[in-house]
Each structure stands twice: as structure tokens, then as C-alpha cells.
Amino acid sequence: MIRRIIDFIIILLFVWVCMILGLWIIDRVIVPMNLAGVTNNLLSAIFKVGISAFLVLIWLWIWREIVKRSFWHAIKKQQDY
Amino acid sequence: MLNETLIFASGFAVTLSSMPFVIRTMRKKGIGGIDVHKKDKPFVPEMGGIAVLAGTAVSVVTAILLFPESTNAALSFLACVFIAGLVGAVDDFKNLNAKAKPFLTLFASLPILIMHTYNPRGVVFPFIGQTRMTIVYPFLIPLAIAVTSNATNMMDPFNGTMSGSCTLITIFLLLSAVILGRSSALLLCLCLLGPLLVFFYYNKYPSKIFSGDVGSLSIGAALGAISVIGGLEVVALVAFAPQIMNAFYGLSSIGRLYERRDVSRPVMMLEDGRLMATKDPKAPITLARMILARGPLYEREAALLFLVVSAISGFLALATAYLIVVTT
């Protein structure tokens, strides 16, 4: 029972830390970025939103992969026993 | 403090007194489902959400009488919950398809949009602070309500998991509202908490009543409405992590919206009554299946594990609320 809880704690903590880190990167790195060759403010904003959205998609993908691999690893381990 | 206690107590009392009547009536009319995770497959009456709606309505009216300045927020909340409940009731009787239900729950957000009871500037994030999403945010609100109500609807594999996890989410949203000083969110959480506690008492293992879609869709919409009206979007996102995990992995492993009856079963029951994750690669990877991946469990144990996962997310939600306070 404890091992199952630890599995979920690890996944949830990892996902939460990634979310906080992602928000920090958006705030400190992406928003203050000066895009070389882009002088139009609207274009610059669209570009930054696009990068942020891409980061979110990567976050969701990492989350999905961790769960998928963890699930099939647990199933395989159970079969081996 | 007395006023807040009265709001909580009014909803609690109405749901407590109406639930036995709903159970008897639904059993008499044959409105219910089979509890498939029990060896004797008992009939359990459904649509317990009706008593939750009744209690929530009374607590909202009490809140309006005691705090008249919250009238708009409370009314838009109640209307949102009732619209979602109506969609759920239609589904309970008519079995809507997998695309119709999420589409119809989009309309539950209309009261919030029409009465303008949301923060027009948008979401507050940790580190980033208050965003300026004045154009985009109103378009995200219908999605938020539809996602929370349908994710909650998908999160009811074992006795007491939906009611228990939603009760925990409400408690953690209430605590986050205190940390962040969001009085609307605090009041609305109190309106919902009393009825939810009563429902959890009757729905926990072994269930005496199921929520029906009238209950799960309306409770999910209520939590979504609290996060939008109360400005707790990011906190709710973290608290809802188990529901999001359950819905997201189920959808991504199947590749489309689906009804439970249309796909391979993710969980099966053994001879001794324990539940086990199936090894069928076509079955959705739900949270229930993930919990059982390490080996079979009795339903009571699996349900408890669900609540532990919800509690962990709740504590992370509190940490998020605290981060918002210290970094913005």
C-alpha cells in the first residue's frame, strides 16, 4: 500500500515541480526576452505565447509518458512475480 | 463566523434530511445501477445528486440573505450548477453520447459570463502574478466548467471516490481561499461542503446511493465555478490533478472521447472479490487501473488510496496558494 502511495507522490510532486519551474521560466526568461530582429510588439507577444504554449505541451507530454511507463512497468513486475 | 456556520449547516441539514427520501424514491422507481465491484452485484439507487443540489440551493439562498453583496456571485454559481445538473439528469434518463455531454456542459458557464462574475483580467499565477487575459479568458471559462464537470463524471470507479475526492478538493479550496483572501470562494465552498459531506457519508463504501450524472456533472461544475468566480484557477488545477490525470490518460490512451460502455474494461474482479487491473492494451489507462497496477486490492482499499492521492494534491494546492502569496 505504501509503495503505491509513494508512486503517486513521486508523480504528483514531479509534475507540480515542473509546473512551478515552467511558470518561473516563463516569468524570468521568456517574458523579458528580446527577440533579435522582431521590433513589432504584437509579433513578439505572439511568439512568446507560442513558446509558453509549447512548454505547456511538453509538460503534458512528460506527464503522460511518466504515467504510461510507470503503469506498464508495474504491470510487467506483477507478471514476473 | 456564525454566518459562515449557518451557511454550512443549512446545506448540510437539507441534504441530510432529503437523502433518505431520495434513496427510498429511487429504489421504489427502480432508478439505479448495479454495483459491479461486489460479488453479489447489488442494486444501488442512483441520482443522489438531487439531494446535493437541494442542499446547495438552500445554502446559496442562506448565503445571499446573510451576505447580500455576494448575490451575483452566488446566483451565477447556483445557475451554473443547476444547468450542469440538468444535463446530467437528461443523461441519466436518455444516455447522451460521448460528445454531447461535454458539449452541453459548456452552456453551464453562461450564467458566469452573462452576470460577469469572473475576474475580467484573468488568472493569477505564482511568480507571474496577475495576467492580462481580458480577451482570451472569457473563452476559457466554458472550457474550464466543461473540463471540471466531465473530469469529475469520469472519476467514479469505486464507492465513495468521486464524493470523497470532491469533498477533499472543496476543503482545500476553502483553505486556499483563506490564504489568498478570496471571500467569494470561501462562501461558495461553504455552500457546497455541507451537502458534499452528507453525500460522501451515504456514498462511501459500501454505497447506499450513487450520484448519477446529475450529481457528478453538477459537483464538478460547482468546483469549476468556485475556481473561476473565486479566482482560484491555478490552485484548483493542482487540486484537480487526480481527476485531470484520470481523464487525460483515459482519453489519450483511447485517442477520443468515449463512454465507459464502449471500451474494454480497465478493471476486473477476481474470485475472492479483489479488483485487478486488466492487461488489455486497448483498455484506457485510468487512475483506477494505475492504482491496481501493482497488484489486486479490495474495493475499500482502492477507494482509500484514491482519497490519499486527492489529499496529496490538496496539500500541493495549498503550497501553490502560498507561493502565489509570497511571489506576487
Side-chain angles (χ1 to χ4, degrees), chain B residues 12-220:
Chain B
F12 185 92
V14 165
T15 305
L16 188 64
S17 47
S18 57
M19 191 65 80
F21 171 73
V22 171
I23 293 173
R24 274 195 313 271
T25 309
M26 295 304 160
R27 187 179 286 283
K28 213 160 113 182
K29 290 186 183 294
I31 296 173
I34 302 298
D35 196 343
V36 297
H37 292 147
K38 307 279 186 306
K39 280 163 88 169
D40 55 346
K41 307 273 190 268
F43 172 84
V44 177
E46 237 175 24
M47 298 187 78
I50 291 173
V52 174
L53 283 174
T56 306
V58 168
S59 57
V60 165
V61 168
T62 310
I64 289 171
L65 291 171
L66 293 172
F67 296 95
E69 66 276 15
S70 69
T71 301
N72 277 354
L75 281 177
S76 63
F77 167 77
L78 190 60
C80 171
V81 171
F82 266 77
I83 291 172
L86 185 62
V87 173
V90 169
D91 186 52
D92 283 332
F93 287 115
K94 293 259 184 231
N95 276 334
L96 297 169
N97 73 41
K99 288 182 186 155
K101 225 179 344 190
F103 174 71
L104 289 172
T105 47
L106 289 169
F107 294 97
S109 62
L110 282 177
I112 298 172
L113 290 167
I114 292 169
M115 296 175 75
H116 221 269
T117 48
Y118 58 92
N119 176 1
R121 295 182 67 193
V123 181
V124 179
F125 286 102
F127 301 105
I128 297 171
Q130 175 70 69
T131 54
R132 284 179 297 176
M133 298 162 65
T134 40
I135 298 169
V136 166
Y137 189 57
F139 291 98
L140 296 177
I141 293 171
L143 275 177
I145 303 296
V147 163
T148 52
S149 58
N150 285 278
T152 303
N153 182 232
M154 291 170 82
M155 181 87 159
D156 203 10
F158 310 130
N159 291 178
T161 46
M162 189 277 289
S163 54
S165 60
C166 288
T167 304
L168 283 170
I169 290 172
T170 309
I171 291 170
F172 282 106
L173 286 181
L174 193 151
L175 293 171
S176 301
V178 170
I179 293 173
L180 290 163
R182 308 267 202 259
S183 51
S184 307
L186 177 65
L187 276 182
L188 297 179
C189 284
L190 285 170
C191 291
L192 186 63
L193 187 57
L196 267 182
L197 277 169
V198 173
F199 180 58
F200 176 59
Y201 172 76
Y202 283 96
N203 182 240
K204 69 178 179 10
Y205 182 93
S207 288
K208 296 175 190 64
I209 188 156
F210 291 153
S211 65
D213 282 4
V214 64
S216 51
L217 287 180
S218 59
I219 291 167

Side-chain angles (χ1 to χ4, degrees), chain A residues 1 3-5 7-9 12 16 19-20 23-24 26-27 60 63-64 67 71-72 74-75 78-79, chain B residues 125-128 238 245 249 252 279 287 289-291 293-295 297 301 305 312-313 316 320 323:
Chain A
M1 195 74 156
R3 184 65 236 215
R4 292 176 213 246
I5 294 172
D7 285 347
F8 279 103
I9 290 177
L12 286 171
W16 183 77
M19 184 189 83
I20 299 299
L23 287 170
W24 185 86
I26 290 171
D27 183 48
L60 285 173
W63 192 355
R64 191 186 105 141
V67 167
F71 171 74
W72 288 114
I75 288 280
Q78 197 202 331
Q79 269 175 328
Chain B
F125 286 102
F127 301 105
I128 297 171
V238 176
M245 232 196 280
Y249 298 117
S252 64
K279 293 166 185 53
L287 195 54
R289 211 174 167 212
M290 282 162 54
I291 279 171
R294 281 194 174 269
L297 287 174
E301 294 167 322
L305 211 47
I312 295 166
S313 301
L316 288 176
T320 309
L323 263 180

Side-chain angles (χ1 to χ4, degrees), chain A residues 13-36:
Chain A
L13 260 177
F14 180 79
V15 167
W16 183 77
V17 166
C18 282
M19 184 189 83
I20 299 299
L21 189 65
L23 287 170
W24 185 86
I25 290 171
I26 290 171
D27 183 48
R28 298 294 157 91
V29 176
I30 296 175
V31 169
M33 224 192 309
N34 274 322
L35 299 165

